[in-house]
Amino acid sequence: MENRYDFRTIENRWQNYWRNNGFYQVTEDETKPKYYSLEMFPYPSGNLHMGHVRNYAIGDVVARFKSMNGFNVLHPMGWDSFGLPAENAAILHNIPPAKWTSSNIEIMQEQLKTLGLSYDWKREFTTSDPGYYKFTQWMFLKLYEHNLAYRRSAGVNWCPSCHTVLANEQVVEGACERCEALVEKKQLEQWFFRITDYAARLLDDLDSLTGWPEKVVTMQKNWIGRSEGCQFNMAIENSSETISLYTTRPDTVFGATYLVLAPEHPLVPILCAGKDIEKEVHDFINKMEFMSDVTRTSTDTEKEGIFTGTYAINPMNGEKIPIWIANYVLMDYGTGAIMAVPAHDERDLEFAQKYNLPVKIVIQAGEACEKESDITEAYDGDGIMVNSADFNGLTVEEGKKAVIKYMEDENIGTATINYRLRDWLISRQRYWGAPIPIVYCDKCGTVPVPYEDLPVILPEDVAFKPSGESPLNDVEEFIKTNCPNCGGQAKRETDTMDTFVCSSWYFTRFASPHTSDLPFNKEAADYWMPVDQYIGGVEHAILHLMYARFFTKFLYDIDMLSSTEPFTNLLTQGMVLKDGAKMSKSKGNVVSPEDIIGQYGADTARLFILFASPPIRDLEWSDQGVEGSYRFLNRVWRLINEYANDIKNLDIPENIDDLDGATKELHFKTHFTIKKVTDDLEERFNFNTAISAIMELFNTLNSYKDLPKQNLALVKEAIESLLILLTPFCPHICEELWEIIGNRESITLQAWPKYEAEALIQDEVEVVLQVNGKVRDRIKVPTNSPDEGLRQIALENSRIKELTKGKKIVKIIVVPDKLINVVAK
RNA sequence: GCCCGAGUGGCGGAAUGGCAGACGCACCGCACUCAAAAUGCGGCGUUCUUUGAACGUGUGAGUUCGACUCUCACCUUGGGCACCA
C-alpha cells in the first residue's frame, strides 16, 4: 500500500462532486431550523493569505457542524471590492481598477475553491458591481429621505505634497504614509450619516449581545462614550450674548476660574471684534485650522491659548472670569465651550499653570483643605464641597444633583447626556467607490437621484493622472446631468462613499442576492436574519460592527428587517503569526496558502490551522506542525484502509453486553469522544481540543488493532464515528474513507452522532488518595462507591497509614469517583 | 493616563476549585533497512542520596482540606481608547 494518500485526486474529486450535485445550496425551508454562518467577506487584494484560510476554516467547521445537526445552513461568500488598493494599482501599473479587481477576484475564487469550503456560490456577489452598489446608493437615499444623511463643511486630512485627501488610516503620526509630508487640514463640503441619532440604542442594545466577546462590547461602549452632566449658560460682560457650556462636574462650578472656547466657536469673532487682540486671535484660529486633527488632539501636544479680553459671569456666584480660547477644547464635543476648574481637572491645571490663572479648591479630599498655592496635581476624586456657598458639605455625587436641580429651578441649565460618538463622514474624494447619488442644481439646490434612476454608474474607462486626484472630476459625461426636479442643467456629486457603507448591509443581501428591485427580499431576510455566527478579525471590532449595527437598526425602523441586531454571536479570531510576528511581506515571513495546499492538501492545511490554537487566540505558524497534521491524516488513511474489507458489510450491533476489557474501553472511548467533540464545537468553539480528542480516539483504535481477538462491529462503530466527527475539519479525506468502508451516501449528509449515556458508565474508576492535599496513591474502586466505604478504604490503605502514623486525623474529604483527601496533623 | 486580555516543559497548547503538562511538534532510544528516508514501538518538567522524594503554572501575600484556576498587590507583555470637559 502507498505510504501517503493521494490528496490531490481525492480533494479534486469531492470538490467536483459537491459542486455538480448542488451541495450547500440552500433555500428557505420553514420545516427546518435555520442557521446563518458568516465570515467577514474579503477585500480582493489578489492573494489569499493565512488569515483568510483561518477565518474561512473556522466558519466552515461551524457551517458543516450545524448542517450535520439538522439545521438549514446559509453559508455564503462575496467580495468587498471597492477601496484604495485598486486605485493605487491603477496609478502604478495603469490598469483600470475594475479590471484589476475582477482579475483578483478570479484568482482568489480559485484559491478559495481549493479549500473545499461549503459555500453556496450561487449567492456570491461583488460590491463594486452596479447590481450591488445600486442598493448601496439606495441605502444612501433612504437615509437621506429620513434626514439621516446630510452635508456640511468639515475638515479633511490633506497631503500638500500629493495634493490629495487622505483617510485617517493613511495618516501615520501626523504625516502622509506615502510621502511623509505633514498632513494639513482642509475644509470641504462632506456627506455624513447621522449615526449619533442612534447612539443611545447602539449603546443600550450592547447589553443584549451576550454572544459577543466582552472585549468587543467594552470597546464599543468606550467608543460611544456616554457621559452624564449638564449644560448651562454664562452671561458675557457688556454683551447680550451668552455662552452655553457642558460639564460632567457641576459640583465644581464654584471652582471655575476661567472659561475656554474652542477656536472654531462661532462666538469668538463676535467677542473679539474691534479689540486690540483681534489679529492675534485670528492668527491663532488660522493656525488651528491647518493643524491636522491627529496632531491637535494628541495628549502630547502642548496646551496653547489666548485671552480674548472679555469676561463671563458665573451664574452661581456672580464672579467675573476671563474667557480664553485654547487648542485643547474641541468644537464638536459638547457645546465647544467649557468652564475650567484647574483645582479638579488635570488639563485645566496644566493650562492655568502655564498662563498664571488662579486655582480655587472646591472639593476637599481629606481632613483639612489643601492650600491652593501648594497644588501640583488636580484632584478629581470623591470629597466634600467647600467654598461653594449653600452647597458646602455635600459629597461630589450629592453636589452634582443639587447643582443641576438649582440650575433647572433657576432656568440656568439642564441635565444633559453627551456621547463621544461622532457622525459618520462617508464622503471620499476617491474614484473607486459607489458614487453618492446626489445632483446639484443651481435652481433646486441639492437633489437626490430618484430611486428609479439607480444605479448612478461609475464610469469605468477613466484616465488616472499621477496627481492622485479623483479622475471623476474630469469625466464630463458623468458630471453633467439634468436635474431630476426641474430638468435643467445640473452637476453630479463626484465624491464616492466610504467602503464601509458597502459592508454595512451586505449580510442582508445574502438572503436574496438576486433581488433586483430592492436590496433584499423581506421574507427571505426575515427567514435568515440575524446572522447566527459571525466570524472575523478583531480589527473590525469598532467601525464595521458599529456601522452594521446602525444600518440594521435603521432597516428595522423603516420596516425592511425584523431584527434590531445583525449578529447574534461574534467570534473574533486571532492573528496568524510566524516567529512571533504578524505575517507580512515587509517582514518576509509570509507562508503562502497555495504552497501549503499544493504540498499537503486542503485537509492538512485546515487541520493544522484549527489544531494549533483555539480560534480566538493568535496562532503561531509551524511548518513542522503542518507536517504533524499531515502525518495524522496519513495514519488515519492507512488504518481505515486496513480495516476496510473486514468491516464493509458488518452491522453495528444494538446489544453490546459482555465486552472484554479492551473492547469495552474502545466502546467507551468512541462515545466519550462523541460527547467531547460535540461539547467542544457546540459550547466552546474549542476546535483544538476537539481535534485532540479525535486523535485520542484514533490512538485507542490503533492500539486495539494489535489485539488477537477483536470485535470488528465495534471497530466499525469507532471508525464511522471518528470519520463523522472529523468531517467538519477535513471533509475530503472523510468522504473518500467513508466510501471506502462501504457507504454510498456522502458523509457530509450524515446526521451528527449521539453518544450513548450507557457507554459512558464504567465499572471502575480511579480515585486519588491524598494526605493534606498531596497525592500519595491511586486506587481503583467500583463506580459510585458510597462515601463511607471510600473513607474506610483510605484509612486502611498502607501508604496512608504510613504517612499519618502518629498524627491525628482531623477530617476526611471525599469527592465521589474522584478523590479522597485525609487531613492529618 | 484610562479600559480590556495574556503569562504553564525546548515549542504550540491542555486542565476554570480536585491526579499540572492531555493532544501535537521537537528531541532521545529501539525495530525495519546495506544505508538513509518513510513507517512502527518506547521514552521525554527540574533536581536529588532515583523501587522513592523534594520542587514546579510571571512575583509576593491571602482564602481553602485542596489553587494554573478564586481575592488583593506588583512585574512583564499584547491590544484598544486617548486633551471628549
Side-chain angles (χ1 to χ4, degrees), chain A residues 182-201:
Chain A
L182 269 188
V183 171
E184 291 174 0
K185 208 161 93 182
K186 199 181 173 185
Q187 294 294 319
L188 283 180
E189 286 286 311
Q190 314 244 13
W191 284 94
F192 288 82
F193 286 161
R194 217 182 292 277
I195 190 173
T196 50
D197 270 18
Y198 283 74
R201 281 162 75 189

Side-chain angles (χ1 to χ4, degrees), chain A residues 512-626:
Chain A
S512 59
H514 308 296
T515 306
S516 58
D517 55 338
L518 284 171
F520 52 88
N521 168 288
K522 185 167 193 297
E523 285 78 58
D526 279 349
Y527 178 84
W528 291 114
M529 287 295 292
V531 173
D532 293 277
Q533 184 65 57
Y534 197 37
I535 305 162
V538 73
E539 66 273 17
H540 293 111
I542 296 178
L543 296 183
H544 164 58
L545 292 171
M546 186 79 76
Y547 298 150
R549 294 182 61 224
F550 165 49
F551 264 60
T552 302
K553 288 179 193 307
F554 171 65
L555 290 169
Y556 171 85
D557 289 348
I558 62 169
D559 207 28
M560 286 287 290
L561 277 180
S562 301
S563 29
T564 57
E565 284 289 340
F567 315 120
T568 308
N569 295 292
L570 172 71
L571 188 146
T572 51
Q573 107 229 15
M575 287 186 297
V576 181
L577 311 176
K578 177 89 195 287
D579 310 318
K582 189 179 177 177
M583 283 187 186
S584 74
K585 265 188 208 151
S586 57
K587 288 195 195 89
N589 60 350
V590 177
V591 179
S592 136
E594 238 179 332
D595 294 350
I596 297 294
I597 295 166
Q599 199 176 345
Y600 301 100
D603 282 337
T604 295
R606 295 166 56 128
L607 184 69
F608 167 73
I609 249 177
L610 296 164
F611 176 59
S613 188
I616 57 165
R617 295 249 290 255
D618 286 348
L619 180 150
E620 176 67 33
W621 185 267
S622 154
D623 291 330
Q624 284 154 333
V626 179

